[in-house]
Amino acid sequence: MRDMKIGDFLERLAAREPAPGGGATAALHAAQAAALLGMVARYSTGDRYAGHAATVAAVTAETDALRERALGLAAEDAAAFTAVTEAYKLPKGEERSAAIAAALAGAAEPPARVAETAARLVELCETLLPIGNPNVVTDVAAAAEAARAALTTARVNVEVNMGGIKDEPVLDGLRARLAGVDDAVARAERVTAAVREDLAR
């Protein structure tokens, strides 16, 4: 998916095929959030921002890394969901049930990692908002909204897989990884609210 044109990706997304789907879009939301923050950071350099140069440089480097991570997770999600569909094609029996459970646990992993990535991106929105170039402050809000979409979309894609997982330790681990989603969503909304309040002045 990394090298696909946007139109081609959307055509695949709209097709009657199991992947790519919601999990891949969650990862792409996160990738867009990371890219937007990278842009804001790159516009926040020079003498005017010298006092925050180290922070801006760190944000630039981390958002570039998170963008790459999110793109990788989009591909991983599509592959993991394909494994689920293949498991369901097996003949009924214990082997099929075990394969489905394992595939569902595997399919829950990429969106869980997307949620973790998006939560970190919200933190970086909070870091950049007060020190970034005010001419591109709306892009911090756009990044927060993209991260929020990644969080909520990733969560529901983890939850749909959890329904077929019977291993309680695995379920407990996934629940723990989703526990901070509501807080991260609220923080993203506060970033956007702060930007809108500033625009209204």
Side-chain angles (χ1 to χ4, degrees), residues 30-31 34 61-71 117 120-121 124:
E62 187 171 1
T63 54
D64 285 353
L66 292 175
R67 185 179 77 242
E68 287 300 310
R69 179 186 186 193
L71 280 174
T117 300
R120 177 57 184 157
L121 287 164
L124 293 174

Side-chain angles (χ1 to χ4, degrees), residues 2 21 24 32 50 71 76 79-80 89 92 94 100 105-106 154 158 177-178 191:
R2 178 186 298 272
Q32 290 178 99
L71 280 174
E76 288 180 29
K89 292 177 183 177
K92 289 187 177 180
E94 289 185 10
I100 290 171
V158 173
R177 293 169 74 183
L178 295 178
V191 168

Side-chain angles (χ1 to χ4, degrees), residues 80-108 160-167 170:
F81 195 76
T82 299
V84 172
T85 62
E86 292 302 313
Y88 273 104
K89 292 177 183 177
L90 294 172
K92 289 187 177 180
E94 289 185 10
E95 183 179 337
R96 177 179 183 267
S97 298
I100 290 171
L104 288 171
V160 71
N161 289 301
M162 288 171 66
I165 300 172
K166 307 303 179 187
D167 188 326
V170 172

Side-chain angles (χ1 to χ4, degrees), residues 7-61:
D8 293 339
F9 171 76
L10 293 176
E11 189 170 339
R12 277 193 61 191
L13 191 62
R16 187 172 173 171
E17 298 175 2
T25 63
L28 291 178
H29 286 315
Q32 290 178 99
L36 284 162
L37 288 175
M39 178 187 69
V40 173
R42 287 180 170 88
Y43 270 113
S44 305
T45 58
D47 292 344
R48 182 178 177 184
Y49 306 97
H52 303 291
T55 299
V56 168
V59 170
T60 303

